Amino acid sequence: MTLKVQGEQRGEWTVLRVVGELDIATSPGVRQRVHDAVADGRRHLVLDLSEVLFCDSSGVGVLVAARRLMRSCAGELRLILPAQGAEDGSHVNRVLAALGVRRLFDCYPDLQAAAGETGTPLSA
């Protein structure tokens, strides 16, 4: 399966919707899109990972690096990790929790909550 990354603006938030498998072959593309957003002056970034079917350690590395990059430029990163998503629940949510890094991220159940004032982060 390939990876698709689609971008859109929601107010002050740049939303990157990631669909497919986030692995060693595809994670550099996501990393580049995050860097491109920062280079364009975007400081509020949402990564919608609700349609990611698989995530390996390189994918987790991209997420950690994105968090570090956003913090270094006084930006903010939010992840969309629904309890149910993709085919059988949010794979990325389970991977981050298993590795003990889920708590590093502000996670939301959907785009409305992540890009708006209506939602609060999901607990780790």
Side-chain angles (χ1 to χ4, degrees):
M1 173 175 262
T2 61
L3 184 85
K4 294 180 187 175
V5 182
Q6 300 170 319
E8 68 177 90
Q9 281 300 125
R10 285 285 183 110
E12 66 180 343
W13 293 93
T14 298
V15 180
L16 297 179
R17 181 169 287 117
V18 183
V19 179
E21 296 182 358
L22 187 55
D23 58 23
I24 193 164
T26 60
S27 58
V30 175
R31 181 185 311 266
Q32 187 61 53
R33 292 292 299 266
V34 169
H35 282 270
D36 290 347
V38 170
D40 288 341
R42 309 291 183 200
R43 297 297 180 262
H44 301 283
L45 181 65
V46 174
L47 291 178
D48 182 349
L49 305 173
S50 59
E51 295 297 322
V52 172
L53 301 172
F54 175 79
C55 180
D56 69 6
S57 60
S58 61
V60 172
V62 166
L63 299 178
V64 171
R67 177 183 180 270
R68 186 177 19 215
L69 176 62
M70 296 308 294
R71 290 173 62 99
S72 73
C73 65
E76 188 174 356
L77 174 66
R78 294 179 175 180
L79 304 182
I80 297 176
L81 295 174
Q84 296 297 315
E87 291 179 355
D88 62 345
S90 177
H91 176 77
V92 179
N93 201 6
R94 292 191 310 270
V95 169
L96 294 178
L99 294 173
V101 297
R102 166 77 167 62
R103 62 183 165 68
L104 297 176
F105 299 96
D106 289 331
C107 301
Y108 293 80
D110 56 40
L111 181 56
Q112 181 181 1
E117 298 298 322
T118 60
T120 56
L122 299 170
S123 58

